[in-house]
Amino acid sequence: MTQAHTARSERATTLHSALDAVFEEVKGDLASLVAIPSIAWPAFDQSHVRASAEAVAALARKAGFEEVDVLTAQKPDGEPGSPAVVAARPAPEGAPTVVLYAHHDVQPTGEESLWNTPPFEATESGDRIFGRGAADDKAGIMVHLTALRLLGEDLGVGVVLFVEGEEEAGSPSFRDFILRHRDRLAGDVFVVADSGNWAAGTPALTTSLRGMAALEFTVSTLDHAVHSGMYGGVVPDAALAMTRLLASLHGEDGSVAVEGLVGETAAHVDYEEAALRADSGILDGVELIGTGTLASRVWSQPAVTVIGLDLPHVDVSSNTLQHSLRAKLSIRVAPGDTPENALAAVKRHLTDHAPFGARVEFGEEEAGSPWRADTADPVVDTAMAALGEGFGTEAVQVGLGGSIPFIADLLEVFPQASILVTGVEDPDARAHSANESLYVPDFRRAIVAEALLLERLGGRSAEGAGV
Ligand SMILES: [Zn+2]
């Protein structure tokens, strides 16, 4: 046991030294990707997304891939999706194929004045590299390419690099993409490098994700708006009915009060309240909501949030009873539930709790499935061991409160595949926010851990865990 441990550490040390030799260049390549504002939202210039796909393709060729293509598929509306990069190195006879996933598109910058450095200029400061996409997910791309670079030609596994270009825009053509290109994307293990670690220095494998559903609905009490002096106090207005209905979605302690939603209150590890308060920016004196472990409230219990409400703006408000109002709810669906069940439960709740006999009508819906890994799959143990060895700290299994809806699509098309959700973000990475950054020590460890994982999957280590 001790010997095996020493041998593994030596291998990790060797890989860390090999990384030292190329790391300046790796950071330079990352900076060249960060410099491209590849935002796949329709309101932004899509030529940048194309440029970023071409840049990733060039880096893949530099990493030794011979078959490299920039491909697109169709969104449900028939429009073309954003370009994705697919590159492949065939598996040796009888060896497994590992698909390395990341995405090259990024979130918009938001309010640019909130950034301390230019968002599309990778800026190293202390242990961090700041810039939009520096962590999410251009670092994921560089982890894959650099791990392969460290291993050289003798891999022991086949590799498919799959870097999509519209993850932050909801992956609208993803399903069509994997159906169209299923022969090229087929693999035994998918490494999805788009999540985060438990803490700076503590690696994590993400083994569950909440799904996401959304629901628009309208509450009406009158057939037209009327004077609040003539009728206020006797005729219920839509704002009164809507706010009471919205309030009924949660109990006194802020727990979701919708019957029929699924959830669990335990978790393997838990957040410290002080850290959660600091990371979230909750104001002093404001209480946390819900019950059960803090981690379970974010990872494995449902959440219902009002994200839109069409009340007149205060500046243009008049003395009127509103006749009809529209709201939008975001529902985070716990692993073990389905978005269909969650939407049905919320709709039933809204219909049953409408005050004063107000009318409730339902509009647009969105549904993305939650996911839970099969932790009995031996590949999970292999990944945990590789992460622990690469980081020099035991890995933990975590959930993610957010959603990666395409995981469900992947499993539908490749039902036999093992899916490993890894990532380079630490809790201070601020992905999607101003001053997004990559914690450089963990970036290096993630590269070494992925190289170790590939070696183990290819039976190229003492542990020799094949697939
Ligand atoms: Zn991402």
Side-chain angles (χ1 to χ4, degrees), residues 103 105 135-137 167-168 193-195 425 431-432:
H103 63 87
D105 66 306
D136 181 12
D137 185 27
E167 197 278 339
E168 303 294 4
D194 190 23
S195 186
E425 291 166 32
H432 299 199

Side-chain angles (χ1 to χ4, degrees), residues 411-425:
L411 276 175
E412 207 181 306
V413 178
F414 305 110
Q416 304 305 324
S418 303
I419 296 187
L420 300 171
V421 179
T422 64
V424 291
E425 291 166 32

Side-chain angles (χ1 to χ4, degrees), residues 244-287:
R244 289 181 71 114
L245 184 52
L246 293 176
S248 75
L249 291 165
H250 297 88
E252 281 300 309
D253 64 358
S255 307
V256 178
V258 178
E259 256 176 65
L261 294 177
V262 173
E264 267 177 30
T265 53
H268 292 140
V269 281
D270 203 10
Y271 289 112
E272 277 175 40
E273 181 168 340
L276 187 134
R277 296 187 74 93
D279 291 346
S280 67
I282 189 171
L283 299 178
D284 280 345
V286 175
E287 295 163 16

Side-chain angles (χ1 to χ4, degrees), residues 172-214:
S173 71
F174 188 91
R175 212 186 136 73
D176 184 50
F177 195 96
I178 58 174
L179 285 170
R180 239 176 234 241
H181 306 294
R182 69 193 300 164
D183 292 344
R184 299 188 63 173
L185 295 172
D188 303 284
V189 179
F190 284 74
V191 180
V192 175
D194 190 23
S195 186
N197 289 308
W198 174 237
T202 306
L205 191 66
T206 302
T207 52
S208 75
L209 303 167
R210 287 197 292 193
M212 191 182 71

Side-chain angles (χ1 to χ4, degrees), residues 26 29 41 105 115 117 178 208 235 239 343 348 361 370 443:
V26 170
D29 290 343
W41 296 16
D105 66 306
W115 285 77
T117 59
I178 58 174
S208 75
V235 169
L343 282 166
R348 208 160 46 233
E361 283 163 300
F443 179 42

